[in-house]
Amino acid sequence: MRVNAYAAPAAGQPLAPTTVERRDVGPNDVLIEIQYAGICHSDIHTVNGDWGPQPFPVVPGHEIVGIVTEAGSAVTRHRAGDRVGVGCMVNSCGECANCRNGDEQYCVHGMVPTYAGTDRDGTTTQGGYSTHVVVDADYVLSVPESLDAAAAAPLLCAGITTYAPLRRWNAGPGKKVAVVGLGGLGHIAVKIAHALGAEVTVLSQSLKKQEDGLRLGADHYHATSDPETFEQLAGRFDLIINTVSAGIDLGAHLGLLNLDGTLVNVGASSEPLSLHVMSLIGARRSVAGSMIGGIALTQEMLDFCAEHNIGAEVEIIPADKINEAYERVLASDVRYRFVIDTKTLA
């Protein structure tokens, strides 16, 4: 079936209305009528060519919430009328050790991204800036009814991207967690870390979002533009989640970790980050990275967010405002996530 969508025709070009072909619903597929699609900074990096050549035209969008309108004959987990979500991947080999262990995002043979990827049937995946999508049911999540649909959409990327490292590095009571950046990722990281019971500090370039940070659940808020911050907070944190997509001074931030502390990068800078090894050796510190989460963990995250009433802070826009939204994201002029109302594509 052909459906309406917004696509980038070439690198750096404005997105424009188009149509894309969705495959027929197979035995293990579901057809989803999309309600909302979040705008992620990764979408902008991709269509601008920051991460290398892409299979243009590209329909971005991997923060998808919608309603199942058709389920294949072998599908048992989802049925027509269910509210569901799709995140950053729509397939993997399902057979390698990582897939079997629930880490499909680290599939040895490469997980299939929701857009700009090559699916198992050889077709190019196209994302959620569209009215409908067909997805293998094993990669479709149940979105609890207690969550607002628009606020839930960014959880499919920003939510799991921050939940995964917070869970893996045991954020919780008695742990001091710092979140670098209070943007699309950072504001959700603050909410989740607070709900997990950790003591949460926001590290931002300035104090202009301090009121928001404290309202969202942070216990403390400090400006990294003030050199005294790094002196005052030296050796304080068990875990630092770096959510920004720009470069940071790794050495300075590592100095904020206590013995055996870890700095986890979830923001994807397009530039290399430099590091002096003594920043690690001096207190047995670690630098790590984390990329979304497996399907089971993503479902756990959605259920956790429903239990704790956690959703993204969103600004809902019509499809014809996507290019303007991209400009505003790059100017840090959003609090905190744009979400497209996809009925405006009809």
Side-chain angles (χ1 to χ4, degrees):
M1 64 184 291
R2 292 205 70 83
V3 303
N4 292 339
Y6 253 64
Q13 295 297 307
L15 278 72
T18 189
T19 61
V20 293
E21 185 72 25
R22 297 302 190 186
R23 69 174 182 262
D24 294 337
V25 176
N28 204 51
D29 288 336
V30 293
L31 171 63
I32 302 167
E33 181 179 0
I34 300 172
Q35 296 175 307
Y36 296 100
I39 291 177
C40 176
H41 208 138
S42 297
D43 302 346
I44 301 174
H45 280 305
T46 301
V47 302
N48 282 344
D50 296 338
W51 293 342
Q54 303 297 332
F56 292 104
V58 169
V59 177
H62 56 206
E63 299 179 344
I64 300 167
V65 169
I67 303 295
V68 175
T69 59
E70 183 182 347
S73 59
V75 176
T76 58
R77 292 173 50 202
H78 309 290
R79 63 183 63 184
D82 287 354
R83 190 168 72 170
V84 295
V86 178
C88 300
M89 61 179 164
V90 292
N91 219 326
S92 68
C93 81
E95 298 175 354
C96 70
N98 293 345
C99 286
R100 294 197 307 271
N101 289 334
D103 288 318
E104 298 95 338
Q105 75 276 28
Y106 300 124
C107 176
V108 170
H109 302 287
M111 65 89 165
V112 178
T114 304
Y115 62 85
T118 302
D119 211 339
R120 299 302 174 202
D121 61 3
T123 60
T124 298
T125 57
Q126 301 288 0
Y129 296 10
S130 58
T131 58
H132 297 76
V133 66
V134 177
V135 180
D136 185 304
D138 292 339
Y139 298 83
V140 175
L141 291 305
S142 297
V143 178
E145 290 294 332
S146 62
L147 287 172
D148 176 80
L155 298 179
L156 276 303
C157 174
I160 186 57
T161 294
T162 53
Y163 183 82
L166 288 167
R167 290 287 286 154
R168 180 169 181 80
W169 278 275
N170 300 313
K175 292 295 182 72
K176 292 180 170 62
V177 175
V179 176
V180 181
L182 192 70
L185 289 173
H187 88 285
I188 296 179
V190 168
K191 289 187 176 189
I192 293 174
H194 173 75
L196 287 168
E199 181 181 322
V200 185
T201 298
V202 174
L203 301 174
S204 185
Q205 284 187 314
S206 72
L207 298 178
K208 67 180 182 179
K209 297 181 183 177
Q210 183 174 27
E211 184 176 340
D212 279 2
L214 299 176
R215 173 178 60 83
L216 295 170
D219 299 286
H220 315 285
Y221 200 107
H222 294 271
T224 55
S225 58
D226 182 354
E228 292 186 5
T229 291
F230 292 93
E231 297 176 12
Q232 180 184 350
L233 302 180
R236 173 166 299 193
F237 301 110
D238 302 291
L239 176 65
I240 298 175
I241 305 294
N242 175 28
T243 72
V244 301
S245 57
I248 65 168
D249 185 336
L250 271 184
H253 285 79
L254 285 167
L256 304 179
L257 292 169
N258 60 21
L259 183 66
D260 290 326
T262 301
L263 186 155
V264 185
N265 291 286
V266 296
S269 173
S270 58
E271 299 296 327
L273 299 177
S274 61
L275 155 71
H276 196 293
V277 71
M278 289 305 296
S279 300
L280 304 176
I281 291 173
R284 208 162 54 206
R285 301 179 178 113
S286 301
V287 175
S290 180
M291 181 178 72
I292 58 170
I295 295 300
L297 189 68
T298 304
Q299 188 63 61
E300 177 186 309
M301 176 276 303
L302 287 169
D303 295 340
F304 177 88
C305 287
E307 179 184 353
H308 294 274
N309 194 30
I310 295 172
E313 307 285 306
V314 302
E315 180 176 336
I316 300 172
I317 62 167
D320 62 6
K321 297 293 184 183
I322 291 173
N323 292 305
E324 178 183 324
Y326 275 25
E327 294 175 3
R328 288 180 56 192
V329 169
L330 294 173
S332 299
D333 180 26
V334 55
R335 295 196 179 179
Y336 282 89
R337 206 73 160 181
F338 286 115
V339 173
I340 304 161
D341 179 354
T342 56
K343 72 174 179 287
T344 61
L345 284 163

